[in-house]
Amino acid sequence: MTLKRRDFLYLLTASVGAITAGACQASGNNLAASPTTQATKIAQTPGTFTLPPLPYEYNALEPHIDARTMQFHHDKHHAAYVKNLNDAVSKYPQLKNMSAEDMLRDLTKVPEDIRTTVRNNGGGHVNHSMFWEIMSPKGGGEPTGDLAKAINESFGSFDAFKAKFNEAGTKRFGSGWVWLVRTTTGKLEIATTANQDTPLMDGNYPIMGNDVWEHAYYLKYQNLRADYLKAWWNVVNWTEINKRYEKAI
Ligand code: MN
C-alpha cells in the first residue's frame, strides 16, 4: 500500500512537472543518461511535430554558449516540449492539420483539457525552433537594410536597442523570454513573456528573442543573467533575423 502510494505520488509529480513549464526539472532527472541517444529516440517517435536538428555543432557557439548547455537545451528541453505537444494533440485528430503557430495564435481553437499543455509545450517548441536559427557561429555584428533602419527609427540607435533589450531580459522575473516584436500596427517593440508564452498569442510577430530561462545559461553563467545577455549578441544571426523581419512585413 505504502509503495503504491509512493509510486502514485512520484508519477503525479512527474506529470505535473511535464505539463507545467517544468521541463527543466523533468529533464534534469536524466542528466547521467546519454543525451544523444535519448534525443534520437524522441525525435523518431511518430507524431505531428518533430525536433529540428541543431543547425551547427553543440560547441559551435563557444565561448559564449557552452556545448553542454546547447546539448541539454536542445536534446532534452526542446525534445521534451515536442514530445509533450505530440502526446497532447494525438488525442484530437481535428488538430492534425494545424501548425503550432496557428494553435498559439488562437488557443480557444484548442480543446480546453490540453490548452495549457499546448500553450507551454507548443510555445516551447516554436520558441526554440526560432532560437536555434537566429544564432550562428558566424553571428554578431549589426543588422542591415530595412531592419537596421527600423531599429534606429524605433530606438534611436542599435546600441540603445541592445541596452533596452538586455535591461528587459535582466528584469524578466523568473523564467521567460525577451523579444523584439513587430506589433499588429507595424511598430517595433521590446517585450518579455513568462514561461514559454510567445508574442504570437497577442498577435505580435517575434522577430527575434532570447531565452532567459536558467537552463539557457546557468551551467556557464550561474546567476549572472546579465553577463549571458551581453555575450549573446556575439552569436546573433542577423541574416536570419533580417529574413524574419521581411516575413513579418
Ligand atoms: Mn529554453
Side-chain angles (χ1 to χ4, degrees), residues 120-143:
N120 290 335
N121 294 281
H125 177 44
V126 169
N127 293 342
H128 288 85
S129 297
M130 171 212 69
F131 191 55
W132 314 128
E133 294 295 330
I134 64 157
M135 298 191 291
S136 164
K138 291 173 189 155
E142 296 192 12

Side-chain angles (χ1 to χ4, degrees), residues 35-110:
T36 314
T37 317
Q38 183 69 17
T40 309
K41 269 187 206 155
I42 290 169
Q44 287 172 355
T45 305
T48 315
F49 302 100
T50 51
L51 178 68
L54 260 193
Y56 32 76
E57 298 298 319
Y58 297 122
N59 65 1
L61 306 181
E62 288 190 346
H64 310 292
I65 305 180
D66 59 290
R68 217 168 117 78
T69 295
M70 290 302 291
Q71 188 168 7
F72 281 102
H73 202 172
H74 177 270
D75 293 4
K76 293 288 190 179
H77 293 277
H78 190 171
Y81 298 130
V82 173
K83 187 187 182 302
N84 294 337
L85 178 62
N86 280 328
D87 288 350
V89 301
S90 67
K91 291 187 276 180
Y92 293 99
Q94 72 266 34
L95 299 176
K96 270 267 184 275
N97 296 320
M98 270 181 95
S99 68
E101 287 88 343
D102 286 344
M103 293 182 210
L104 294 161
R105 276 190 199 100
D106 185 1
L107 281 164
T108 62
K109 286 180 183 156
V110 176

Side-chain angles (χ1 to χ4, degrees), residues 73 128 177 196 211 215:
H73 202 172
H128 288 85
W177 289 74
Q196 294 298 349
D211 187 344
H215 68 224

